Amino acid sequence: QVQLQESGPGLVKPSQTLSLTCTVSGASISSGTYSWSWIRQPAGNGLEWIGHIYTSGGTKYNPSLKSRVTMSRDTSKNQFSLELNSVTAADTAVYYCARIPDYDTFTGYYNVIDFWGQGTLVTVSS
Amino acid sequence: QSALTQPPSASGTPGQTVTISCSGSSSNIGTNYVYWYQQLPGTAPKLLIHRNNQRPSGVPDRFSGSKSGTSASLAISDLRSDDEADYYCAAWDDSLSGPVFGGGTKLTVL
């Protein structure tokens, strides 16, 4: 069974950089037919895709956050990471890491998230 | 403003069937699979339906999904009190090259 676990500071000051790591067990982030994603959910609100990293190491970011986001990975630890710079109170949210299966080669249809981490609350405040 | 449109709330009594709708466009639901998630307070979303109408192992057959054109729906039959939760639909968006979500539907069991 695939498991994902987020870790990182729960409090970040405005204008600083939010850094989170996701540790994956039960699957390899550098092989297979999946990409590895970050999603966030502000309190009382819906879900927003931040970006994902492919097994190749390539990345794709949400255009609304692209200028502030960097995702990376450490394949030796089977971990991938998120950095979001210049944070404001609007970045306060529960951050989830997640797995996305690749598109269906038979139908051409893309999939979305099948496994989620438990989430970690990050508060931006001085 | 979410890319997928869901009703903000739904309700039913125990034993009833409730249906939650999800409306999108040709760049998401129209050309990709729809997924549904259940989120209990303080927990991560849990996968309920994948690939439009497939249930992962362990999800009761009271939950069913369907898709037609650019819309999808989740039906919950034989409603139980522990079905009270927020329900989200999601689909890949070809324009975004990433997943988009509905705003969520809060289900109340009266």
Side-chain angles (χ1 to χ4, degrees), chain A residues 33-48:
Chain A
T33 55
Y34 303 99
S35 59
W36 302 90
S37 189
W38 288 98
I39 310 291
R40 69 179 183 179
Q41 184 175 33
N45 280 294
L47 299 154
E48 179 182 32

Side-chain angles (χ1 to χ4, degrees), chain B residues 32-104:
Chain B
N32 292 296
Y33 291 121
V34 177
Y35 281 51
W36 290 91
Y37 306 95
Q38 178 192 60
Q39 187 175 38
L40 298 170
T43 69
K46 168 193 168 185
L47 180 63
L48 272 186
I49 298 289
H50 65 105
R51 297 195 170 195
N52 301 335
N53 55 21
Q54 302 299 302
R55 281 185 309 277
S57 60
V59 174
D61 60 5
R62 301 186 299 107
F63 294 89
S64 62
S66 63
K67 170 185 150 178
S68 178
T70 59
S71 294
S73 62
L74 172 71
I76 309 172
S77 62
D78 190 23
L79 204 58
R80 298 169 33 155
S81 59
D82 58 2
D83 293 332
E84 276 207 346
D86 293 327
Y87 292 85
Y88 291 90
C89 60
W92 186 270
D93 189 279
D94 293 335
S95 300
L96 185 64
S97 293
V100 292
F101 299 90

Side-chain angles (χ1 to χ4, degrees), chain A residues 80-94:
Chain A
F80 64 101
S81 298
L82 168 71
E83 288 193 343
L84 180 66
N85 60 39
S86 305
V87 297
T88 69
D91 296 309
T92 294
V94 175

Side-chain angles (χ1 to χ4, degrees), chain A residues 51-63:
Chain A
H52 50 246
I53 188 164
Y54 299 98
T55 52
S56 64
T59 55
K60 182 72 176 179
Y61 303 136
N62 190 322

Side-chain angles (χ1 to χ4, degrees), chain A residues 1-123:
Chain A
Q1 180 81 336
V2 177
Q3 292 188 316
L4 301 96
Q5 177 69 58
E6 305 87 351
S7 59
L11 181 64
V12 180
K13 289 181 167 44
S15 80
Q16 294 193 342
T17 297
L18 177 161
S19 296
L20 295 173
T21 295
C22 181
T23 301
V24 179
S25 58
S28 170
I29 66 168
S30 56
S31 65
T33 55
Y34 303 99
S35 59
W36 302 90
S37 189
W38 288 98
I39 310 291
R40 69 179 183 179
Q41 184 175 33
N45 280 294
L47 299 154
E48 179 182 32
W49 169 68
I50 300 170
H52 50 246
I53 188 164
Y54 299 98
T55 52
S56 64
T59 55
K60 182 72 176 179
Y61 303 136
N62 190 322
S64 67
L65 297 167
K66 184 177 181 179
S67 63
R68 298 194 292 132
V69 172
T70 302
M71 292 179 62
S72 60
R73 65 180 186 169
D74 184 338
T75 56
S76 66
K77 296 180 180 178
N78 214 36
Q79 295 175 333
F80 64 101
S81 298
L82 168 71
E83 288 193 343
L84 180 66
N85 60 39
S86 305
V87 297
T88 69
D91 296 309
T92 294
V94 175
Y95 286 75
Y96 296 100
C97 58
R99 187 182 81 167
I100 298 178
D102 280 355
Y103 73 95
D104 184 330
T105 55
F106 182 72
T107 64
Y109 285 4
Y110 279 80
N111 295 290
V112 287
I113 296 155
D114 64 352
F115 281 98
W116 299 75
Q118 67 183 34
T120 187
L121 174 63
V122 178
T123 302

